[in-house]
Amino acid sequence: MGFSSVQSSRRKVVVIGNEKGGTGKSTTALHLAVAALHQGHQVGTLDLDSRQATLSRYLTNRERYRTSAGQPIPLPHSLRIDEPEGADVAALETSARRAIEAALAKLAACDIVFVDTPGSATTLSRIGHEYANVLVTPVNDSLLDIDVLAEIDPINRKIIAPCHYCQMAWEYGNQRIIDGLPPLDWVVIRNRLPHIHSRNREDIDQILTKLANRIGFRLAPGLGERVIFRELFLNGLTVHDLPLVDADRSLSATQQSAGSEIAALLEALNVVPQENLALATSAN
Ligand SMILES: Nc1ncnc2c1ncn2[C@@H]1O[C@H](COP(=O)(O)OP(=O)(O)O)[C@@H](O)[C@H]1O
Ligand SMILES: [Mg+2]
């Protein structure tokens, strides 16, 4: 097995990454995975954040709920890798690469694999990024979060220099081109968007648009600040499960909007197999 054989599968690997904690990586990974499951795709998840393991915990809660409530909610094929330990950087990278390739080989039958990463540059996270067809970077609606992507002049709001994470993503993209692989599709999304218009929101819009042009990512529809994105954690559910677990209750307007935000994001990632889409359309 090797890098190119893991890559050559038609399956898409979507890495959710940002070297900052609390930007919504695990929330985004879980919601995208569940949305894709409900569309009938074979979905895998890979948790590379062995310390917090939020995605794994969410999915354990989901499995438990499925059993205890007897609800046939769909489950992804989920795997988690522990951070390798040791002082030899080369040995750490080799063992991270081996573990990731073994996991991706186990998930070879999936259409899409969503990879959650920690908010710091661990070995697993860095190596995991190398396997991304699509990199999704959620940023909170705050200048503090943008600071992880680029240094911004506080007076004129111009970009002074891209930061470490941007350079890293840019290098992954370059390496893929050198290896003759399809280019990395880097997608930045805004998370926890407030529902009211503000000067801050406008500022961030402008800065991200400039950054996208300069650094080479694209912007996709983000997620609003919504309680429904966090309140179902203990049962491992998302808004897309609600019609299945409570068929008598119709979704509120807010819940519908939350579901649409996730569906719009999944569509914008262009990772859904076209033949599945055609089947879903003909079945409707
Ligand atoms: N769109 C959202 N609306 C409301 N709460 C959110 C949203 N996205 C994330 N959160 C909450 O923000 C916190 C951090 O999210 P999390 O997904 O754990 O981030 P990360 O994985 O990047 O550390 C959690 O408490 C989560 O429930
Ligand atoms: Mg997380």
Side-chain angles (χ1 to χ4, degrees):
M1 196 170 38
F3 189 64
S4 53
S5 63
V6 172
Q7 286 282 329
S8 63
S9 148
R10 69 186 186 101
R11 164 209 56 206
K12 297 283 192 226
V13 176
V14 180
V15 171
I16 295 93
N18 182 348
E19 270 177 25
K20 185 173 192 307
T23 61
K25 291 180 289 299
S26 304
T27 304
T28 305
L30 186 269
H31 283 77
L32 285 173
V34 172
L37 281 169
H38 280 291
Q39 288 183 8
H41 310 301
Q42 289 291 323
V43 176
T45 61
L46 181 55
D47 191 351
L48 300 185
D49 186 356
S50 56
R51 192 179 278 259
Q52 298 207 336
T54 314
L55 181 62
S56 304
R57 289 161 65 87
Y58 216 126
L59 291 168
T60 303
N61 292 347
R62 186 174 178 85
E63 247 180 281
R64 200 171 33 223
Y65 177 82
R66 184 185 150 104
T67 310
S68 64
Q71 296 279 6
I73 48 169
L75 294 174
H77 305 275
S78 56
L79 296 175
R80 169 184 157 193
I81 302 177
D82 286 330
E83 192 66 40
E85 286 179 16
D88 179 345
V89 176
L92 286 175
E93 289 187 350
T94 304
S95 90
R97 194 164 276 118
R98 278 209 191 112
I100 291 169
E101 293 197 357
L104 289 178
K106 278 190 196 155
L107 300 172
C110 294
D111 301 313
I112 319 170
V113 177
F114 294 96
V115 183
D116 192 22
T117 62
S120 56
T122 63
T123 310
L124 262 187
S125 180
R126 282 190 296 103
I127 304 292
H129 277 68
E130 290 178 10
Y131 292 84
N133 297 106
V134 181
L135 169 61
V136 179
T137 300
V139 290
N140 277 329
D141 204 46
S142 143
L143 287 167
L144 222 80
D145 266 36
I146 307 297
D147 197 53
V148 178
L149 297 178
E151 198 183 333
I152 308 292
D153 186 312
I155 313 278
N156 59 20
R157 305 288 156 114
K158 285 197 173 141
I159 301 160
I160 299 172
C163 288
H164 176 249
Y165 188 74
C166 265
Q167 285 174 6
M168 199 177 77
W170 190 75
E171 279 162 22
Y172 291 132
N174 273 352
Q175 191 58 47
R176 288 183 66 87
I177 294 168
I178 292 167
D179 292 342
L181 296 166
L184 172 70
D185 184 15
W186 186 15
V187 181
V188 172
I189 62 161
R190 292 170 70 182
N191 186 26
R192 309 190 76 160
L193 282 163
H195 300 288
I196 46 163
H197 194 75
S198 70
R199 169 81 203 279
N200 175 66
R201 189 168 167 167
E202 247 174 58
D203 267 3
I204 293 180
D205 269 342
Q206 283 183 6
I207 292 172
L208 278 179
T209 308
K210 274 191 225 161
L211 264 179
N213 287 332
R214 169 128 170 229
I215 292 164
F217 58 74
R218 66 183 173 99
L219 292 162
L223 310 178
E225 164 71 38
R226 300 180 187 279
V227 177
I228 190 71
F229 286 139
R230 53 185 137 94
E231 69 181 348
L232 305 175
F233 171 73
L234 291 178
N235 286 335
L237 300 176
T238 80
V239 65
H240 281 117
D241 299 306
L242 294 182
L244 196 67
V245 300
D246 190 356
D248 296 335
R249 227 178 49 208
S250 49
L251 292 183
S252 69
T254 316
Q255 290 170 339
Q256 281 180 28
S257 305
S260 304
E261 283 177 357
I262 299 290
L265 174 56
L266 181 60
E267 194 183 337
L269 297 184
N270 297 325
V271 288
V272 166
Q274 294 307 303
E275 63 272 23
N276 290 14
L277 266 188
L279 280 176
T281 318
S282 63
N284 287 334

